[in-house]
Amino acid sequence: MLRTSNRWLWHGIFVVIVVSSIFGTYQASKQINYNWQWERVTPFLLDTSPQEVIAAGDGSVVINDDGSLVVNFDYDDEPQVVTQYDELFVTDSDIVFEGDVLAQSEHWSIGPLIVGLWVTLKISVISLFFAVIIGLVAGLMRISNNPVTKNLSFLYVEIIRGTPLLVQIFIVYFFLGTIFDLERFTAGVVALSVFTGAYIAEIIRSGIQSIPPGQMEAARSLGMNYPKAMAYVILPQAFKRTLPPMAGQLITLIKDSSLVSVISITDLTKAGREVISGSFATFEVWFVVAGLYLLLTISLSWVVQRIEKRLASSD
């Protein structure tokens, strides 16, 4: 009973700390004399503003018995026919001019921030797929007895980990992209995959080397060759041990994907900058962008935790 009461006490302290932090941040925001306008951000997430139907030229309006609207133009052009609308702004026989609003209909569309979120998710997933493949190959090369493959893997890992990702993105896009005629999206995927693959290679290498040598010897004594022993005995055990650091690296990949905005890929970060230039809601937009990134990383963390529990229950 005492343990339960202590646990709830510590939970209460945690809630107090979080609430105090939020309240303190709110009070601090008042010191900068900033007028918060969160409603400006909503249309950039989901735009529900009505869609206007505009007259394509000068002419007269005819409203048929079925409710359809026809604009007969003055110069015998093809009439403009409007069959679907929710609110009508003209009446029968009205004279309209090009650009006049004839009607409007209820409409919703995905805003640029959600489109940018989708681009970030897509480039992260594709880069993650290739990064795991590159990391697995490079990690196995690192523990190889062949000096050529071992040294090549060592050189790759050290060069990639020793240079900034932003510089690598520029090199891939402006140098390799010019040579191989790569699109922006492809160049971003290549840069992220190669960069993340170097870190995954070290994670895999350390995971494999953490397995006792007796495991490989036992597998070989059962008649397995080296590839089979690695695939069925060593790698499954190494995967369990490297799952937490691997998850951390994959979360880092999602956050690092924001750097591809420097080569004009309209990901979540670039979409945020474009929205700010049009809405001038600087703080609101960046808070929403941070929240969307947090949504992606928390979702990945949840998936990894589920995998960890599944693997733990199978032991």
Side-chain angles (χ1 to χ4, degrees), residues 40-301:
R40 288 187 179 183
V41 184
T42 305
F44 299 105
L45 292 171
L46 186 64
D47 188 6
T48 58
S49 58
Q51 185 177 22
E52 295 180 338
V53 180
I54 306 298
D58 302 343
S60 59
V61 176
V62 175
I63 299 179
N64 298 322
D65 294 336
D66 59 359
S68 61
L69 183 151
V70 180
V71 179
N72 295 313
F73 298 119
D74 296 338
Y75 299 101
D76 297 329
D77 293 334
E78 187 72 21
Q80 179 182 359
V81 180
V82 180
T83 58
Q84 294 183 350
Y85 55 85
D86 293 307
E87 186 174 358
L88 192 62
F89 295 137
V90 293
T91 58
D92 193 30
S93 302
D94 277 355
I95 303 298
V96 296
F97 300 95
E98 183 177 358
D100 287 349
V101 179
L102 304 175
Q104 72 177 17
S105 58
E106 297 297 329
H107 174 263
W108 68 272
S109 61
I110 296 175
L113 290 179
I114 300 300
V115 174
L117 177 66
W118 166 247
V119 174
T120 294
L121 180 62
K122 183 166 66 171
I123 197 172
S124 298
V125 171
I126 297 175
S127 300
L128 175 112
F129 174 77
F130 288 107
V132 170
I133 295 176
I134 294 172
L136 179 60
V137 173
L140 293 175
M141 290 171 63
R142 286 276 286 169
I143 62 173
S144 172
N145 293 325
N146 189 315
V148 175
T149 57
K150 189 172 185 177
N151 291 335
L152 284 175
S153 177
F154 174 79
L155 184 64
Y156 157 68
V157 170
E158 293 303 318
I159 289 177
I160 296 301
R161 294 201 308 171
T163 54
L165 174 58
L166 184 60
V167 175
Q168 295 175 27
I169 292 175
F170 284 139
I171 292 174
V172 171
Y173 179 63
F174 291 108
F175 181 67
L176 297 180
T178 303
I179 295 175
F180 298 104
D181 193 23
L182 299 179
E183 297 180 352
R184 289 186 176 91
F185 188 87
T186 305
V189 169
V190 170
L192 289 173
S193 301
V194 171
F195 179 79
T196 307
Y199 288 88
I200 292 179
E202 283 298 282
I203 294 173
I204 292 177
R205 178 198 59 80
S206 62
I208 293 175
Q209 291 182 338
S210 69
I211 305 300
Q215 295 288 323
M216 176 61 76
E217 295 173 0
R220 297 301 296 273
S221 66
L222 293 175
M224 292 185 181
N225 56 24
Y226 182 82
K228 281 189 175 181
M230 185 63 70
Y232 294 109
V233 178
I234 304 300
L235 286 180
Q237 297 181 70
F239 175 73
K240 291 183 180 181
R241 298 189 179 190
T242 60
L243 191 57
M246 189 81 74
Q249 190 58 48
L250 300 182
I251 289 174
T252 301
L253 169 62
I254 294 176
K255 295 184 293 183
D256 287 343
S257 67
S258 62
L259 293 176
V260 300
S261 61
V262 299
I263 56 175
S264 298
I265 296 177
T266 309
D267 68 326
L268 182 55
T269 299
K270 189 172 187 299
R273 291 205 301 265
E274 293 175 351
V275 168
I276 289 173
S277 65
S279 65
F280 302 102
T282 306
F283 294 154
E284 293 91 338
V285 171
W286 285 129
F287 274 116
V288 170
V289 168
L292 292 175
Y293 274 113
L294 186 62
L295 177 64
L296 289 180
T297 56
I298 287 178
S299 299
L300 180 59
S301 297

